[in-house]
Amino acid sequence: MQEYTSCHWLQHGLSFENDHIEMCCLCCHKGGGRLYIKENYNGKGVKWEDIFNLKEKFIEQNKNGEIDPRCDGCFNLVHRGWPDDDKHYINYIHFNHWTHCNSDCIYCYTSWDKINYQRRKHYQVLPMIKDLFKKKLFRPGGEITFAGGEPTILNEFEDLTNFLIKQPEVERITVHSSGIKHSKAIENGIKAGKLSVCLSADSGTREIFKRVKRVDKFDKFWENAEKYAKAQEKSENKYNVETKFILIPDVNTTKEEIDKWLDLTVKCGIKSVVADIENDYCRDLRAKDLPKPQFLVDLGNYIIQRTKELDLNLIDYNNFRYLTTEYHLM
Ligand code: SF4
Ligand code: SF4
């Protein structure tokens, strides 16, 4: 065991991005991330040995105190003891395909160029993932996350997710979904107690759903949310289905909208919610060095109070946490 500053993604992580693989998906800190493992990746031709050799190179730099400037300011960097032997394994995987989505959220960065994003191709990751498990290079203790773009509409999503659920080494899978398409594999994972799904509601009424998502799928969303909640009844874990609300000032920031969102969530049988604030809005506040707006602080506290009263588990994502605590906005 040697003490030095490093991070778990650099040591054991992989992030599959649209046309490349990176060490992690973090890019909002000062250094901006983007530690490439393979550029122009199309699902083929990466050797595990090369990946671990590259990780080794970065780890050696960290041991010498020469942290890559792209990691500068990242909250994942920690100074602690890191095991020296037996370190060639993966236990953090992020799938971030950023291609298609069946929603068109006004705050999503794909909305700047939606047509091109919808045309982007995505490569198949399942062969590489199967190889990872066949070679016993995946270890328990980390996490597997599906994020940007809509995972459920990828043609390998069902097979990939069902494969991961069946692997004994996999303890936890998180899927971020628009909730517009129902997935049997997500249901299987919920029933197995291994998968949690975070459904992007951002509203409690059809009108605001349409305004934020720019698709008329409000009923479909709640129909699917209810199906996932029913699947959860068969699992021991009662917090594997969440609805998420991103506060977007001047769009959905009223107590009435919050109340309707929470009421629908409870009515479906869901016991967990996620709250956040639109990232660009927070970035602007930070850039202009403005104080936290009082109406948002009040609304944040209202969400905390209402979730307590309704016995809902509240997960506060970073911007929300900074809003409702002593800290400044990120
Ligand atoms: S320190 Fe941050 S940016 Fe650097 S590899 Fe780790 S997670 Fe990525
Ligand atoms: S559901 Fe996610 S990926 Fe799709 S448009 Fe909304 S924020 Fe973007």
Side-chain angles (χ1 to χ4, degrees):
M1 184 88 78
Q2 189 180 337
E3 272 204 16
Y4 54 95
T5 301
S6 193
C7 96
H8 53 278
W9 280 93
L10 188 71
Q11 306 265 346
H12 303 298
L14 285 180
S15 183
F16 291 93
E17 303 286 327
N18 177 248
D19 57 1
H20 62 272
I21 308 176
E22 292 179 34
M23 296 288 177
C24 66
C25 68
L26 278 283
C27 60
C28 293
H29 54 285
K30 190 174 166 209
R34 304 275 179 250
L35 281 79
Y36 291 103
I37 289 176
K38 173 84 179 161
E39 292 187 70
N40 300 318
Y41 181 63
N42 61 5
K44 290 188 187 124
V46 181
K47 293 188 187 132
W48 294 110
E49 194 190 343
D50 293 343
I51 292 177
F52 291 121
N53 284 342
L54 188 63
K55 284 184 175 288
E56 201 61 48
K57 197 182 122 217
F58 281 108
I59 291 165
E60 281 307 311
Q61 285 177 10
N62 286 359
K63 282 181 183 170
N64 296 329
E66 298 157 8
I67 310 292
D68 192 285
R70 290 169 289 180
C71 295
D72 194 10
C74 179
F75 57 70
N76 277 329
L77 278 179
V78 285
H79 189 83
R80 65 165 169 92
W82 299 88
D84 253 338
D85 54 343
D86 193 21
K87 54 189 176 244
H88 287 176
Y89 64 88
I90 298 295
N91 65 357
Y92 288 86
I93 302 179
H94 202 102
F95 299 110
N96 230 357
H97 62 91
W98 289 119
T99 55
H100 315 45
C101 189
N102 46 16
S103 183
D104 187 14
C105 305
I106 51 174
Y107 54 77
C108 181
Y109 92 99
T110 66
S111 66
W112 304 334
D113 192 6
K114 196 74 186 175
I115 294 168
N116 267 333
Y117 276 103
Q118 298 291 48
R119 282 197 196 122
R120 275 173 158 192
K121 297 228 177 327
H122 73 92
Y123 51 83
Q124 303 287 300
V125 292
L126 187 52
M128 191 166 164
I129 296 298
K130 280 188 171 168
D131 194 50
L132 176 75
F133 282 88
K134 192 172 151 206
K135 295 196 165 108
K136 304 219 170 294
L137 293 171
F138 186 89
R139 297 264 179 92
E143 62 187 39
I144 296 178
T145 308
F146 289 86
E150 172 54 25
T152 61
I153 58 176
L154 297 179
N155 58 18
E156 65 176 350
F157 178 77
E158 295 291 299
D159 290 344
L160 175 59
T161 306
N162 283 325
F163 174 81
L164 290 170
I165 294 163
K166 282 186 197 135
Q167 306 312 307
E169 299 91 346
V170 172
E171 295 169 332
R172 196 155 52 101
I173 305 166
T174 303
V175 181
H176 291 92
S177 171
S178 67
I180 291 168
K181 183 177 177 209
H182 175 261
S183 158
K184 193 72 193 140
I186 289 182
E187 260 196 40
N188 295 341
I190 293 168
K191 282 180 194 160
K194 273 194 178 187
L195 183 148
S196 63
V197 65
C198 178
L199 303 165
S200 176
D202 301 336
S203 58
T205 58
R206 175 191 299 273
E207 184 204 345
I208 298 297
F209 187 96
K210 266 171 77 177
R211 195 166 159 206
V212 176
K213 312 283 176 187
R214 296 186 286 201
V215 290
D216 190 6
K217 298 287 178 188
F218 181 76
D219 292 339
K220 194 40 98 187
F221 176 92
W222 288 104
E223 190 186 300
N224 290 335
E226 199 170 349
K227 282 185 189 166
Y228 293 140
K230 284 227 158 52
Q232 187 174 242
E233 286 170 10
K234 302 201 168 66
S235 155
E236 282 182 7
N237 192 331
K238 300 299 173 211
Y239 300 107
N240 274 350
V241 185
E242 301 149 4
T243 60
K244 182 174 70 171
F245 198 113
I246 296 182
L247 295 168
I248 313 162
D250 299 328
V251 176
N252 62 2
T253 43
T254 63
K255 283 185 178 174
E256 293 71 34
E257 203 63 27
I258 298 295
D259 282 338
K260 286 182 174 150
W261 160 55
L262 293 176
D263 286 350
L264 283 167
T265 299
V266 170
K267 205 170 142 211
C268 278
I270 292 174
K271 302 187 182 329
S272 192
V273 292
V274 178
D276 203 359
I277 310 168
E278 192 199 6
N279 208 36
D280 286 353
Y281 178 83
C282 295
R283 200 177 294 161
D284 281 355
L285 285 184
R286 189 175 61 231
K288 293 174 189 156
D289 205 17
L290 292 169
K292 305 174 195 178
Q294 194 55 45
F295 82 95
L296 262 188
V297 176
D298 292 345
L299 200 58
N301 286 324
Y302 181 70
I303 292 174
I304 294 172
Q305 178 209 325
R306 285 299 294 139
T307 49
K308 270 190 196 148
E309 286 164 4
L310 293 166
D311 200 21
L312 285 165
N313 177 46
L314 172 64
I315 301 164
D316 46 354
Y317 277 7
N318 279 352
N319 285 326
F320 188 86
R321 188 175 312 166
Y322 286 103
L323 178 87
T324 52
T325 60
E326 306 286 293
Y327 302 104
H328 295 293
L329 287 158
M330 275 186 80

